Amino acid sequence: MAERSTAAVDVADNGGDQPPAAGAAKATADGVETQDGRAADKPVPEERDGEHRVAAPAAAPELHSGHKLARRYRLEECVTRLDGFSSWRAVDEKLRRAVGVHLLPADHPRARSVLAAARSSALLGDPRFVQVLDAVEENDLVYVVHEWLPDATELTSLLAASPLEPHEAYQLVSQVSQAMAAAHREGLSHLRLTPGAILRTSTGQYRIRGLAVNAALRGITSDTPQRTDTEAIGALLYASLTQRWPYENDAYGLAGLPKDLGLIPPDQVRAGVHRGLGQLAMRALVNDGATASRQEPPCTTPEELAKAVAAMPRIRPPEPAFTAPPEYQHTTYQQGSYGRPPTHPGAAATQLIVPPPPPLQSRAGRVLKWAVSALLITALGLGSWQLADTLLDHGKGDSGNGGSQQAAPTGEPPKVREPKQLKTSAATIFGREPIKGEDAPKAVDGDGSTGWITLHFKSQPNFGNLSDYEDGSGVIVDLGSVQEVTSLRAEMYAAGHKAQVRAAAADASSPHSLSDFPRELTKLQKTGKTLEAKPEAPVKTRYLLVHITELPPEGGGDFRGGINEIKVMGLVD
């Protein structure tokens, strides 16, 4: 199985159906509730409507730290031991990176379904999901290797501190619903979307871990997988807005709703909840008996939920808070105490009078005064001569050119900023269905011999005329911060693309749709081997999009394209 990028993945989190004891349980970097440093083996939670569990033996494979799998994956720490399987933090000694590993015996009743789920998830290749790197049956063991994201934070930890701001909650439901809609189009479901399955990276992106695998490890199935995942997304949004779990039982470190009241709207649980997001949560949770606000239809699939989110007015991030500067402190001289000796209580303060320095009455003083006077007179004379010379030159210029010219400005010339190549913070693939998302960094790595190359598309240059690519594709370049961009040059995979360059607004945050890039730096046009954008004035932006709508032919009725290298120039102080 092809290797993918490093970072963290879900080990099987067994929390969520009982609240952890205060101070006794905490979430690890992989989302598993632990107690005294070991996984808390809790009872399997009750089934929900449409969900089924497969019985499993209690014993997990007895391995130890330091054990190696395939002479490559060295087990470091067991973070879960539950239902006959165990999960580990491990090290890939070949690529020198941290990974996660799920282990279970080959004769485990769920072993075949876990292997199938892991391999199906790996084939999806969507960067919005934590990636499965390997799935192997070897020496009476079945193991699944996955990414480990040490810089990501679980939604469980975020909600333990406070509810999410409206903009963050909007980003959460938007990104998770779109990702799950893409997974369901490929026939994959999660069935275990808990706060521990959602990770927020340091760049503000939300990633989902345990797609298909978490449910297979626990033997969870569902007759209505789309409805199950949609209701789970609604529960995540509800919890993000209220810091309460939308059921009567406490779960995932969150208190449940009051008994016998049913599912009440979020704005009745906590004041100040964003109205549109609260209504959206109720529409997703209507599957469990809630009443949709304003009689709007319920959302029963992730696709319907993603469309409902897109139809909402966009929620902008909050303005940055500026702290007031500290109060200005007067110096001791301004306070009138300079030169005064310290006083004791009850004693009268005596002011120390400092005599002024004597005037320059000595012979050396008189010589110094005459020297300073001579220098001043000389300076005045030179200044008057230069002023007269300037006025004469100005008069000559006026008489020869009808008085249209002005005197040349004096002083140093203004500093000119030359365009320089800007550093790229990250690159991602644009479009509803990202194509080879793992290859996006190759388009900005400074090596023209590598790049991002699309799949082969049949019959039609506009991505085979498939609905998943009706908005086209391309590469989104993240400069890391707002910069003054003067030009962009893209070396294309071949001549004949139909493409353009667009820019996001300066205040854009995580743009992903075409409307998020309103500024056209070039028109949509057929390109040669190179696509260049040179706006008349520098454009202030953080995100640039090389947008491709049609691919060049590659023979045999196939169409294929891509970008070898993108170079961005801008003004730098």
Side-chain angles (χ1 to χ4, degrees):
M1 189 172 299
E3 303 235 348
R4 293 181 176 86
S5 59
T6 27
V9 82
D10 175 32
V11 298
D13 77 284
N14 59 329
D17 300 282
Q18 299 292 336
K26 64 179 181 179
T28 68
D30 211 27
V32 183
E33 287 186 352
T34 62
Q35 187 166 355
D36 298 329
R38 299 191 59 188
D41 294 339
K42 299 182 181 178
V44 176
E46 296 180 2
E47 297 179 7
R48 289 192 183 174
D49 293 341
E51 292 187 6
H52 312 288
R53 291 180 177 270
V54 177
E62 290 295 335
L63 298 176
H64 55 83
S65 298
H67 183 89
K68 283 189 183 179
L69 301 172
R71 299 182 181 179
R72 175 176 180 175
Y73 305 113
R74 186 180 74 249
L75 302 182
E76 292 284 316
E77 178 186 6
C78 181
V79 290
T80 299
R81 195 179 299 274
L82 177 73
D83 281 358
F85 69 88
S86 60
S87 298
W88 295 74
R89 176 176 59 83
V91 174
D92 183 347
E93 294 187 336
K94 181 177 179 180
L95 298 180
R96 298 182 180 179
R97 64 181 180 183
V99 293
V101 178
H102 300 308
L103 279 168
L104 65 167
D107 59 355
H108 194 289
R110 300 174 193 160
R112 303 273 76 79
S113 60
V114 169
L115 275 176
R119 289 166 179 171
S120 299
S121 177
L123 291 175
L124 181 63
D126 191 322
R128 294 172 292 192
F129 294 92
V130 174
Q131 299 294 298
V132 172
L133 305 175
D134 211 347
V136 179
E137 180 178 358
E138 180 183 71
N139 297 332
D140 298 328
L141 282 177
V142 167
Y143 60 89
V144 177
V145 183
H146 41 73
E147 287 184 289
W148 187 272
L149 298 173
D151 64 334
T153 305
E154 287 182 8
L155 182 60
T156 308
S157 300
L158 297 176
L159 295 182
S162 66
L164 299 187
E165 294 288 339
H167 172 72
E168 277 298 320
Y170 172 81
Q171 290 294 328
L172 168 70
V173 69
S174 175
Q175 295 179 32
V176 172
S177 61
Q178 289 178 20
M180 289 309 305
H184 278 282
R185 283 195 292 270
E186 299 297 327
L188 292 171
S189 56
H190 197 291
L191 306 183
R192 187 72 180 158
L193 276 173
T194 66
I198 308 299
L199 299 174
R200 186 183 187 277
T201 67
S202 56
T203 60
Q205 303 297 315
Y206 286 94
R207 296 185 67 182
I208 304 171
R209 61 186 177 188
L211 177 66
V213 177
N214 268 12
L217 284 168
R218 290 171 174 76
I220 299 174
T221 60
S222 175
D223 298 329
T224 55
Q226 295 210 50
R227 169 175 169 172
T228 300
D229 283 343
T230 305
E231 183 176 345
I233 299 172
L236 294 175
L237 177 59
Y238 193 104
S240 300
L241 296 172
T242 64
Q243 209 179 8
R244 299 284 291 270
W245 193 239
Y247 303 99
E248 289 187 355
N249 293 330
D250 299 345
Y252 310 108
L254 301 173
L257 297 179
K259 306 293 182 182
D260 303 325
L261 290 182
L263 183 58
I264 56 179
D267 55 4
Q268 295 183 21
V269 177
R270 177 175 170 266
V273 170
H274 188 278
R275 185 175 183 181
L277 292 175
Q279 293 173 351
L280 196 65
M282 296 295 284
R283 291 177 64 186
L285 284 168
V286 73
N287 307 311
D288 199 44
T291 302
S293 303
R294 296 184 177 179
Q295 303 302 317
E296 293 173 336
C299 298
T300 58
T301 67
E303 186 78 37
E304 292 177 359
L305 183 57
K307 290 180 179 179
V309 175
M312 286 181 57
R314 185 174 179 185
I315 302 175
R316 297 191 175 276
E319 294 292 332
F322 294 98
T323 57
E327 184 179 352
Y328 178 71
Q329 297 292 330
H330 292 280
T331 65
T332 55
Y333 178 77
Q334 292 168 322
Q335 292 171 349
S337 61
Y338 178 76
R340 295 182 181 177
T343 58
H344 302 283
T350 58
Q351 184 173 357
L352 178 64
I353 300 176
V354 180
L360 297 176
Q361 297 296 334
S362 63
R363 182 177 180 182
R366 288 194 296 271
V367 172
L368 181 59
K369 286 193 293 183
W370 280 108
V372 172
S373 300
L375 286 174
L376 290 174
I377 293 171
T378 303
L380 288 172
L382 288 173
S384 301
W385 177 78
Q386 289 180 346
L387 178 61
D389 187 60
T390 302
L391 292 174
L392 288 173
D393 289 342
H394 180 67
K396 291 177 182 178
D398 288 346
S399 61
N401 297 288
S404 61
Q405 294 185 355
Q406 297 180 355
T410 60
E412 295 183 0
K415 185 178 180 181
V416 178
R417 294 188 296 170
E418 294 293 335
K420 297 182 180 179
Q421 183 172 355
L422 300 177
K423 293 182 180 179
T424 301
S425 174
T428 54
I429 302 304
F430 170 81
R432 187 189 308 168
E433 283 295 316
I435 303 172
K436 293 187 177 180
E438 67 275 11
D439 288 344
K442 295 180 181 178
V444 293
D445 61 0
D447 185 358
S449 63
T450 63
W452 166 73
I453 311 300
T454 71
L455 306 170
H456 289 274
F457 290 86
K458 302 284 186 183
S459 306
Q460 298 290 338
N462 53 338
F463 297 89
N465 211 14
L466 298 174
S467 60
D468 286 342
Y469 306 103
E470 59 187 3
D471 291 333
S473 187
V475 175
I476 299 174
V477 177
D478 182 359
L479 300 177
S481 61
V482 176
Q483 303 286 345
E484 293 186 67
V485 176
T486 57
S487 66
L488 180 146
R489 178 186 177 90
E491 298 292 338
M492 310 302 289
Y493 171 70
H497 293 74
K498 191 171 183 180
Q500 68 176 151
V501 180
R502 303 174 73 107
D507 60 350
S509 173
S510 304
H512 59 275
S513 63
L514 198 60
S515 60
D516 293 335
F517 296 88
R519 181 74 178 271
E520 292 187 347
L521 303 190
T522 66
K523 296 295 183 183
L524 192 60
Q525 57 188 319
K526 286 284 185 182
T527 70
K529 194 69 170 61
T530 302
L531 173 62
E532 290 194 68
K534 293 184 178 180
E536 295 180 358
V539 176
K540 289 188 175 182
T541 185
R542 173 178 174 177
Y543 300 96
L544 294 162
L545 167 64
V546 180
H547 182 218
I548 301 173
T549 61
E550 291 186 7
L551 304 174
E554 199 170 59
D558 286 0
F559 294 86
R560 193 182 192 192
I563 303 170
N564 288 341
E565 194 63 35
I566 299 174
K567 180 179 179 181
V568 183
M569 303 293 289
L571 300 179
V572 181
D573 292 331

